[in-house]
């Protein structure tokens, strides 16, 4: 009898929780930027890409580069030094954007390995056809925390189909040039800068939350100035 009563209470609490959640208006935004494929002409066009939640996107600006797809370490999970691969641009040439495949390791590790090899930006091709998601940082990984804070290049996730288009063009010997544009990712209804601060109420989620709390402390003074 007591067990049955407990089950009923748990079901009631679950129903109440769902009812409250159903009456709340929640929003999850995948922050996107525009990716314009400028060459080759036969596949020229504008495509969406989802901005990585680490590194330094060029908010309010744009960046042009030439896309390369490595013949080895295509998922970017290992150091490119192990393969003798460098993505440093030659003097006078466009910056190098490296295309890697999703899977087998954290998004942030892929970007870190590509940055260490000298690239200016990273495009990660999804491995399934789905709506774009935000590439986030791994939780509770102290080793990852050491390199995440040192990632300085922008990165973006692109859809699987678009990734296949880029790979086909590159393998065919075409010069693939793209322009990453972050100007529309910044809200600008007027001349004011607008920002959103997203946080987590869970203070026991490890390294990620420790980094968040430090940021909140450091951001307090800047937020007070912005409010004025």
């Amino acid at each position: 009898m007591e067990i049955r009563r407990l089950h009923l209470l748990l079901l009631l609490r679950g129903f109440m929780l769902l009812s409250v959640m159903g009456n709340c208006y929640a929003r999850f935004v995948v922050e996107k930027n525009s990716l314009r494929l400028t060459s080759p002409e036969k596949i020229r066009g504008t495509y969406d890409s989802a901005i990585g939640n680490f590194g330094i996107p060029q908010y309010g600006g744009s960046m042009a580069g030439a896309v390369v797809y490595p013949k080895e370490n295509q998922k970017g999970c290992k150091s490119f030094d192990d393969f003798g691969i460098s993505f440093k641009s030659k003097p006078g040439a466009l910056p190098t954007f490296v295309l890697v495949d999703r899977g087998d390791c954290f998004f942030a590790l892929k970007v870190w390995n590509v940055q260490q090899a000298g690239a200016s930006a990273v495009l990660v091709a999804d491995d399934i056809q789905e709506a774009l998601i935000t590439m986030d940082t791994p939780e509770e990984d102290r080793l990852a925390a050491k390199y995440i804070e040192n990632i300085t290049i922008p990165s973006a996730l692109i859809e699987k189909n678009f990734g296949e288009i880029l790979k086909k063009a590159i393998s065919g010997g075409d010069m693939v040039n793209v322009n990453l544009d972050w100007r529309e990712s910044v809200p600008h209804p007027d001349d004011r800068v607008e920002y959103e601060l997203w946080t987590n109420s869970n203070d026991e989620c490890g390294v990620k939350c420790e980094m968040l709390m430090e940021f909140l402390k450091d951001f307090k003074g800047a937020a007070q100035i912005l409010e004025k």
Side-chain angles (χ1 to χ4, degrees), residues 57-160:
Q58 307 292 326
Y59 286 118
S62 62
M63 178 188 294
V67 182
V68 300
Y69 183 55
K71 293 182 179 180
E72 297 178 284
N73 196 27
Q74 293 176 337
K75 292 185 177 180
C77 293
K78 298 178 181 178
S79 171
F80 285 94
D81 285 343
D82 296 343
F83 301 88
I85 297 175
S86 173
F87 300 118
K88 292 180 180 179
S89 301
K90 296 179 180 178
L94 284 173
T96 302
F97 294 177
V98 177
L99 174 66
V100 294
D101 295 318
R102 182 179 179 180
D104 290 357
C105 63
F106 294 128
F107 289 122
L109 179 58
K110 298 175 187 289
V111 177
W112 173 246
N113 286 334
V114 172
Q115 175 180 304
Q116 290 295 92
S120 297
V122 183
L123 301 178
V124 180
D126 208 340
D127 55 354
I128 58 174
Q129 193 59 38
E130 61 178 352
L132 291 172
I133 63 170
T134 299
M135 297 190 297
D136 205 354
T137 53
E139 295 184 8
E140 299 184 10
D141 190 319
R142 295 188 179 276
L143 291 177
K146 293 180 180 179
Y147 63 75
I148 288 172
E149 63 184 14
N150 293 315
I151 294 176
T152 57
I153 63 174
S155 60
L157 180 70
I158 61 174
E159 293 180 347
K160 180 181 179 181

Side-chain angles (χ1 to χ4, degrees), residues 32-39 43-51 63 65 67 97 99 121-124 132 155-159 162-163 166 176-182 184:
K32 296 181 180 179
N33 65 297
S34 174
L35 187 156
R36 186 161 52 89
L37 182 58
T38 57
S39 70
I43 54 174
R44 183 182 298 175
T46 301
Y47 303 83
D48 277 339
S49 58
I51 301 172
M63 178 188 294
V67 182
F97 294 177
L99 174 66
V122 183
L123 301 178
V124 180
L132 291 172
S155 60
L157 180 70
I158 61 174
E159 293 180 347
F162 181 46
L166 294 178
V176 178
N177 294 336
V178 302
N179 190 302
L180 292 175
D181 192 335
W182 293 271
E184 291 303 316

Side-chain angles (χ1 to χ4, degrees), residues 203-217:
D203 60 358
E204 298 179 357
C205 63
V207 175
K208 190 172 182 181
C209 285
E210 291 173 8
M211 292 169 63
L212 173 61
M213 295 308 296
E214 286 299 318
F215 173 78
L216 291 176
K217 292 176 183 177

Side-chain angles (χ1 to χ4, degrees), residues 177-202:
N177 294 336
V178 302
N179 190 302
L180 292 175
D181 192 335
W182 293 271
R183 286 173 294 185
E184 291 303 316
S185 63
V186 180
H188 50 80
D190 47 38
D191 292 331
R192 295 179 299 121
V193 173
E194 298 188 2
Y195 68 91
E196 292 182 353
L197 178 61
W198 292 51
T199 185
N200 191 331
S201 60
N202 181 5

